[in-house]
Amino acid sequence: MSRKWVYRFGDGGAEGHAGMRDLLGGKGANLAEMASLGLPVPPGFTITTEVCAYFYAHERRYPDDLRAQVDEALAWLERTRGRRFGDPANPLLVSVRSGAPVSMPGMMDTVLNLGLNHATVEGLAKATDNPRFAWDSYRRFIQMYGDVVLGVEHYRFEEALDELKHAKGVRFDTDLDADDLRRLVERYEAIVREATGAPFPQDPREQLWGAIGAVFGSWMNQRAITYRRLHEIDDDMGTAVNVQSMVFGNMGDDCATGVAFTRNPSTGEKEYYGEFLINAQGEDVVAGIRTPQPLTEKMARENGRPGTSMEALMPETYAELCQVFERLERHYRDMQDIEFTIERRRLYLLQTRNGKRTAKAALKIAVDMAQEGLISREEALLRVDPASLDQLLHPTLDPKAERRVIAKGLPASPGAVSGRAVFSADEAERRAQAGEEVILVRVETSPEDIHGMHAARGILTARGGMTSHAAVVARGMGKPCVCGASDITIRHGERRFTADGVVVAEGDVITIDGATGEVMLGEVPTVEPELSGEFATLMAWADSVRRMKVRTNAETPADARTAVRFGAEGIGLCRTEHMFFQEDRIVAMREMILAHDSEGRRRALARILPMQRGDFIELFEIMAGKPVTIRLLDPPLHEFLPRREEELAEVARAAGVEPRVLARRAAELEEANPMLGLRGCRLGIVYPEIYEMQARAIFEAALEVRRRSGRTVVPEIMIPLVASARELELIKQRIDAVARAVMAEAGETLAYLVGTMIELPRAALRAGAIAEHAAFFSFGTNDLTQMTLGLSRDDAGKFLDAYRRAGIFERDPFQTLDREGVGELVRLAAERGRATRSDLKLGICGEHGGDPASIAFCEEVGLDYVSCSPYRVPIARLAAARAVLERRAACAPQPSSD
Amino acid sequence: MSRKWVYRFGDGGAEGHAGMRDLLGGKGANLAEMASLGLPVPPGFTITTEVCAYFYAHERRYPDDLRAQVDEALAWLERTRGRRFGDPANPLLVSVRSGAPVSMPGMMDTVLNLGLNHATVEGLAKATDNPRFAWDSYRRFIQMYGDVVLGVEHYRFEEALDELKHAKGVRFDTDLDADDLRRLVERYEAIVREATGAPFPQDPREQLWGAIGAVFGSWMNQRAITYRRLHEIDDDMGTAVNVQSMVFGNMGDDCATGVAFTRNPSTGEKEYYGEFLINAQGEDVVAGIRTPQPLTEKMARENGRPGTSMEALMPETYAELCQVFERLERHYRDMQDIEFTIERRRLYLLQTRNGKRTAKAALKIAVDMAQEGLISREEALLRVDPASLDQLLHPTLDPKAERRVIAKGLPASPGAVSGRAVFSADEAERRAQAGEEVILVRVETSPEDIHGMHAARGILTARGGMTSHAAVVARGMGKPCVCGASDITIRHGERRFTADGVVVAEGDVITIDGATGEVMLGEVPTVEPELSGEFATLMAWADSVRRMKVRTNAETPADARTAVRFGAEGIGLCRTEHMFFQEDRIVAMREMILAHDSEGRRRALARILPMQRGDFIELFEIMAGKPVTIRLLDPPLHEFLPRREEELAEVARAAGVEPRVLARRAAELEEANPMLGLRGCRLGIVYPEIYEMQARAIFEAALEVRRRSGRTVVPEIMIPLVASARELELIKQRIDAVARAVMAEAGETLAYLVGTMIELPRAALRAGAIAEHAAFFSFGTNDLTQMTLGLSRDDAGKFLDAYRRAGIFERDPFQTLDREGVGELVRLAAERGRATRSDLKLGICGEHGGDPASIAFCEEVGLDYVSCSPYRVPIARLAAARAVLERRAACAPQPSSD
């Protein structure tokens, strides 16, 4: 029983097509597809992945009838190209390339120019009228074939090349002439003979089978195996082998080579875009020996070199190429990145693929194509990577501006900004109030720096990762931030830092780019983001598709306003502790912490109450009836006490206590693992006064706003760090009592919800019981990730890299939700919670709420909303829409693949 | 349709029996049982719990036919007792008591002496020939009835009593005579009239219905509701009401009252034991007015007062009582604690219950009774509380010795010990080497104190809870420890502490009692534990019943030997880090931490290798073929660096580096939340050299021991803090490579197992995948509890008390496994792990492995073994056996209760 092992393509047709990826590999299927479209593809044939499977199932032997099928295909190829394998006058040369069903770039082997030998190299020299090129091709072929097929160590060829250059006294390969290369070939052949005990094979057919065997063999090289394990690719999939005739753009002035885009990949404008070189090979462009010429006259005119374009110089071929562009874009329904070669006026397409593009271009192309009717609006949504929108929402460095980069850290929060370096939060605030623009530079930040972070235009830290305090808060504020810039050495006492040999003193201007992590000396001009019409259009399309609501994590009026402007539909997380750090409040807060009894605490809290009420009034007014979820005090109390000796004395003086009293209290509150300590609702249980004050402030604010605006506010009060139903029950009882008291005093009624964060594994497990007392759950996936993985966000930076290199974490679990671990708990809590209370409202307010992959998970689990920092709201809107579309696609019946 | 609401008991029979607990309540059912046995119980009747249910279902009204049934029962009671309700000549008096199906001690109301009024009080005075007693009974009745039934506030009666005493110039109630009390009754009646607007009810029937209503009403008082919620008792269960005729032991010299035990509750000896008083009421014993007399002549002789016993003075009644003892012990099949009254030569039993006893007595009684054939061996196992064995395994203070207690902390690790106070681990070691016995006194301990803890006889800390480092390590070592003794103030610099006004300087002798938490001045003599024959017998019975193996957590030879002596069947957790703190090793360890590269680390580790190998050789030899599970390095590296400034300089000098280099490295390693940081297998991933050295030491030791002893050692290597299958896979690959290398070097083969701790929630969730690479799981429930609850053991002490008071935690989750949260993860991991690998070995090695309630859970989940500290091994053996019996009982078909 014979089987078809070989599929031909080219010459106006093909035996395969794009749908045969599994059999022909990605490259083979695509070449077949282009050939079927009638596009001029250099002909060739594909040996299927089934041969690969056979190869490994039969001790690296081939099916019996493979040789006959290859011979037949080769004969067809010779006929089609009018050249013969091994023909010195007019030799057929081929490339032999791997091509698996999924892309594994650079993992497997390739051999080019196969078919060259002592005889054909001369034929090639004559045909190209370029002996140097021919001999260079041959020596490269020996080197590549020697390495890949014969296993001769690469360095031996390199050494011979170096020796020759040394002997000739030249520096570059290009300084060698044809004779030099001819001599080098002799040396190379000697190397092969020494290493293998046999001469370099002169028979093209022998060369071909050697290359085929090497490509199949490379499927199981260590590099490829590791790659597949990391990307969870099945070892049984196998690779195909593509044998394709070579074409040459360097046979004379009627030859050329080039790359082109069907639209502008930088701006997204609907215009052809590209470069080409006459009488050249693709390599020449890469080598940068000659400057490529523009594809179109528009480009040529813009460069001040009219008449140098392909459009002008090769109008007929250009016209043919334009037809190909239209054809390919219509066929693939996306902007194409095309490689072409012109061999003696004849156009060949070597490759087409969806072109890479900037975020801006992606947006414009998607919206344009939908409006042109080329793709649907849903497809347009799927064409724009939500994460890439981040680039469009912040100012960016003027690409033309000069810059002096003195350090590089992590790109923690995008946007480029300049300002005077300051080294303390207080100084930042002082200078900002005086009208200066400042960048806060700290080793790392803590909640005590919040006022300084608010005052600063950007933040730079020497320590901490992508999810350090500085990074999280900065992203929340939408402020540029570079963190973990370990190259800078901060001398806090001397108020300066050094980096790259430069000293930056307080007041010196620096620029940071939170999108790249670069720190630059002086002011670098920036350009403001243009939220073009396409942006608004795409967002509207996203809103019409998505099911989940998008809220924001915000507590300051500025953040809340920004978020509303970006389309937030409510506040999912208002962290009240951030309201306690302001100058006038922290004093009362510390007084509360130092109080000996409930009475003393109440006295101090009474001073905070009106301020806190004022905060909520402002927030409710900005949100204008949209839901607002307020989380009661969460962090451990020691975060509110000073840390450094000198500050301690100052605070003690302000609080009217002896420094040692303050020191003792601070020591009492100190914790070995603050993350797992006296915080969250535990504070509410131990010091009920705090939550009572906060509940009162919320209720009074809601009533006040209703009085002022006539608009009903239904506050959602959220209790953090709940581990058991009983905790929530107790705290809810107290909140309900405060509500009754406030209503009685006001003589008015008031609606409100009490719910909880689900951020401890136990809370997820006990969600059924907890839901008895909760109107909503909000998944605090930052802490849930920390607890589930036993991994501190602040400390993980030290080994996350090693973990990623070892393939343990594919992605940072603090950026993208760990579906298998944390995700199972989220899913389980959602199910158990809803089993108890079918109308339970479910949301997420961890950093993951702004991460597209995590948002897709939230859609799968059926959450009601995601909440993220203001600048990520548009990202979340798009991601939520895409999540719906992706689920729809996953659920739709699949067309059968045969 | 009439229903039976009232059940009689007494007069040689009863309408109910012990099986009718749900209907009659515990007390009613037991009184009925005794009466049915023909024992002399004062007659009475029980109003059923169904009346209680009716009462609450019908707005506190009674069933129509209840009154008739109560009247009938009352008439029967009058006939039986030959007395009449309200008869001035011979009044019937009754008690009215609650009695729910489950015991709720002190939660509901009781009324005694009901039936007294102006007329009957005179009759009582005459009958008892004791007017003072009669009037005192009446005033107490008014007070109790006024409070419980009429709702008159208690303090008003107290005030009147105080006024009277003041007026009379006396101090005690007992100084008041009959006339005084008669006047007090008048005052009390006036108080009732003022408060209720009506005179105190004189009609005994009215009194009775008032009391019945009050007892039913007390089912729903706040105290009872709270108690039920905390103990998860159903509100619908309801209480019964017991109306019982009063008997008096104080009607003359032919009357008496007493308490007796059928065996000695202190030693467990099979001998009667008790006290009695002639012409007295039970209250008199409590009031301590007269010294009770011994029950038996043996006791009287021992007290040097022969002829004063009941045996001598009332030989006939004593003989009757002895028959009752035999009868009751045979019937209830346990040692009984009996209250009796003799009213005019007639014996009445007021109560019998299983007697409380010391741990020692419990053990002896259980074994004796089984050997007497009274109970089965299985029942004997269920009679001894495993936790109580702890008291038998350690020296205890001589009960006769005088002591001066200067402070009290938590009873962290049992045993009493004396020694000289020392304030540093080094000093402890120095003095111990010089032959002194010392007690290490620290604010809290850290792993750096281990050598001092080993050297000391006991440990005292001023901070930390039952699961602090000091407590856990001390329990592991079986050393007495008192921790969190916050009354002591340590001046480390001055090498002294103060407590209760006393200064204890270094070298002063103190005594600590780890079973009570007491800290005493000077040396208090102790008595050694006697592991009597009963102990060995019971343990053997337990071993024949239990399914789970019992291993120990041990790393030192001393601990391992102790554990084997206590019956450990292997080591479940050998914490290798404890082996790194010894003087000669910590230097190499620090050198490793300071090394710049893998090469430097390997050099330092090579110095540790032989020592580590020596440790394992010794351990394997002691364990003589029993399984040994070795956990590779777990704690974060900074635990090995010095903390204090002065120590830092010293260590830097020893390590030959500049102090600032050491300080910088220490700062680099510092972590915000070390519990969630770079520790466990993360160290093994980042610094593979460490685990490789440890694996080599283990394998070489195993080979060496086989060579020496011919005994095959199969080491079990355990990887800590695994969160994902990939981590374990990577580390196992490296361990396997080391094994191959060691085998190749030795030319011998070697069997070993690689397994993992399950101590992160994610590991539990991913157990199915992790089991692919693990031969065993050991649940590290200490960390699993910390992560699941988001609760640091070190920090939780601050609020655990508030949490227990609020009813959030019933038990400390670090002592008894949280079944609902952590337990679900354990169950799930066991299921998923076994689904992947059916022969997966499962164990537990957290502190919970020595806790009986947690061991019962392990049996339910089907773990293969538990592992605990050496001194808890006997406890675990017994608890494991009981867990089997309890499960068997739970699965057996239940006899129907009617």
Side-chain angles (χ1 to χ4, degrees), chain A residues 727 762 803 818 824 832, chain B residues 727 762 803 818 824 832:
Chain A
E727 290 169 309
R762 193 179 196 280
Y803 260 53
D818 158 39
E824 178 171 358
R832 293 185 180 179
Chain B
E727 289 169 311
R762 192 179 197 280
Y803 261 53
D818 158 39
E824 179 171 358
R832 292 184 181 180

Side-chain angles (χ1 to χ4, degrees), chain B residues 117-131:
Chain B
N117 59 19
H118 289 165
T120 55
V121 68
E122 302 285 4
L124 184 63
K126 239 176 269 165
T128 57
D129 197 17
N130 191 342

Side-chain angles (χ1 to χ4, degrees), chain B residues 93-129:
Chain B
L93 302 184
V94 298
S95 62
V96 181
R97 288 186 169 96
S98 65
V102 293
S103 174
M104 292 170 55
M107 288 302 125
M108 286 177 298
D109 293 328
T110 288
V111 178
L112 301 177
N113 290 328
L114 189 140
L116 284 176
N117 59 19
H118 289 165
T120 55
V121 68
E122 302 285 4
L124 184 63
K126 239 176 269 165
T128 57
D129 197 17

Side-chain angles (χ1 to χ4, degrees), chain B residues 515-531:
Chain B
T516 62
E518 285 176 342
V519 181
M520 287 146 283
L521 208 57
E523 181 170 348
V524 181
T526 58
V527 288
E528 274 303 306
E530 233 183 281
L531 294 183

Side-chain angles (χ1 to χ4, degrees), chain A residues 229 668-678 681-682 685-686 724 726-727 730 760-762 765-766 787-792 795 798-799 803 806-808 818 820-821 824-825 832, chain B residues 229 668-678 681-682 685-686 724 726-727 730 760-762 765-766 787-792 795 798-799 803 806-808 818 820-821 824-825 832:
Chain A
R229 216 209 32 243
E668 269 172 28
L669 288 174
E670 210 176 273
E671 295 183 308
N673 293 284
M675 190 60 62
L676 310 174
L678 178 50
C681 73
R682 294 164 192 172
I685 298 282
V686 177
S724 72
R726 176 82 181 128
E727 290 169 309
L730 276 176
L760 297 177
R762 193 179 196 280
L765 295 166
R766 302 294 300 152
M787 309 298 174
T788 305
L789 276 68
L791 195 64
S792 160
D795 303 315
K798 284 173 203 157
F799 55 92
Y803 260 53
I808 297 167
D818 158 39
E820 293 184 335
E824 178 171 358
L825 288 177
R832 293 185 180 179
Chain B
R229 216 207 36 241
E668 268 172 28
L669 288 174
E670 210 176 275
E671 295 183 307
N673 293 284
M675 190 60 61
L676 309 175
L678 178 51
C681 72
R682 295 163 192 171
I685 298 285
V686 177
S724 71
R726 178 82 180 128
E727 289 169 311
L730 278 175
L760 296 176
R762 192 179 197 280
L765 295 166
R766 300 295 301 153
M787 309 301 176
T788 306
L789 276 67
L791 194 64
S792 159
D795 303 315
K798 283 174 203 157
F799 55 93
Y803 261 53
I808 297 166
D818 158 39
E820 293 182 335
E824 179 171 358
L825 288 176
R832 292 184 181 180

Side-chain angles (χ1 to χ4, degrees), chain B residues 376-540:
Chain B
S376 68
R377 288 177 175 187
E378 286 73 16
E379 282 173 296
L381 293 169
L382 293 168
R383 290 284 170 85
V384 181
D385 176 8
S388 74
L389 292 183
D390 214 21
Q391 296 170 31
L392 305 180
L393 303 173
H394 299 274
T396 49
L397 289 182
D398 182 344
K400 293 181 220 104
E402 280 184 29
R403 58 197 78 176
R404 162 77 197 278
V405 177
I406 55 172
K408 201 158 183 318
L410 298 171
S413 179
V417 72
S418 306
R420 295 180 188 282
V422 294
F423 297 90
S424 75
D426 291 343
E427 182 67 14
E429 201 172 48
R430 207 185 56 71
R431 289 194 183 230
Q433 279 165 358
E436 281 185 43
E437 298 188 329
V438 300
I439 290 177
L440 180 61
V441 184
R442 302 282 287 165
V443 173
E444 54 191 340
T445 63
S446 77
E448 280 197 65
D449 294 318
I450 294 281
H451 62 293
M453 296 173 81
H454 265 298
R457 299 191 66 204
I459 294 118
L460 167 61
T461 71
R463 280 223 300 234
M466 291 294 284
T467 52
S468 62
H469 178 264
V472 172
V473 173
R475 281 198 292 276
M477 294 178 175
K479 279 188 206 248
C481 174
V482 171
C483 69
S486 51
D487 311 337
I488 73 171
T489 308
I490 300 178
R491 305 253 174 251
H492 190 269
E494 302 164 22
R495 304 193 156 243
R496 60 193 178 85
F497 75 81
T498 53
D500 195 24
V502 179
V503 176
V504 175
E506 191 149 80
D508 290 354
V509 173
I510 57 172
T511 300
I512 60 173
D513 185 347
T516 62
E518 285 176 342
V519 181
M520 287 146 283
L521 208 57
E523 181 170 348
V524 181
T526 58
V527 288
E528 274 303 306
E530 233 183 281
L531 294 183
S532 63
E534 283 89 10
F535 179 83
T537 304
L538 195 81
M539 282 294 118

